[in-house]
Amino acid sequence: TKEVYENLKSDKPNLRYIAALKHEQTHIERQKKMGWIKWGLRYVLFPKFRFNEELEAIKSSMKYLKKQNGNFDTKRSARFLSGWLYLWCISYKKAKYELDKA
């Protein structure tokens, strides 16, 4: 949105927005390595692959937030990963466990 864009251009951008950019940057790097089509098909067709890709991207966000003394809401993320948005790729309990472990 325009609000996010304007915030990112500011002198003190919201840490969450930068963490989201780190997350997406990780996806882009991994897609380039594997190839856009192959990555996309695997992401859509294989729940375990989808979860692992999200976990890698989330770890990038977590690392950034930790360096900035921010925190990462594993409950919220586990709810998303276990829901419709990510095509129910993992149970809430397993997602929460893996996120807390990360």
Side-chain angles (χ1 to χ4, degrees):
T1 67
K2 186 175 180 177
E3 178 186 327
V4 173
Y5 177 73
E6 292 300 324
N7 179 273
L8 286 167
K9 289 190 335 182
S10 72
D11 291 336
K12 290 200 173 194
N14 185 315
L15 296 179
R16 302 265 171 237
Y17 296 155
I18 296 172
L21 288 176
K22 300 279 185 193
H23 177 106
E24 296 307 326
Q25 184 178 23
T26 301
H27 283 314
I28 291 167
E29 290 166 3
R30 294 174 68 84
Q31 289 166 354
K32 283 181 181 178
K33 285 181 185 172
M34 183 177 285
W36 299 95
I37 294 172
K38 185 177 179 181
W39 188 94
L41 287 172
R42 291 183 81 185
Y43 189 91
V44 170
L45 297 174
F46 303 109
K48 187 173 182 176
F49 179 82
R50 186 166 48 253
F51 175 72
N52 288 331
E53 289 300 301
E54 290 305 324
L55 186 58
E56 288 303 311
I58 287 168
K59 286 178 184 178
S60 297
S61 297
M62 288 176 156
K63 286 177 188 173
Y64 171 77
L65 289 170
K66 186 174 182 177
K67 285 181 186 175
Q68 303 299 320
N69 294 318
N71 64 341
F72 187 88
D73 187 350
T74 58
K75 284 183 181 181
R76 183 175 184 268
S77 191
R79 275 197 311 272
F80 279 116
L81 289 168
S82 63
W84 67 269
L85 186 61
Y86 292 96
L87 304 173
W88 303 276
C89 65
I90 195 166
S91 71
Y92 173 83
K93 186 177 177 179
K94 282 182 95 172
K96 179 76 168 81
Y97 172 79
E98 292 296 331
L99 291 168
D100 287 340
K101 192 169 78 169

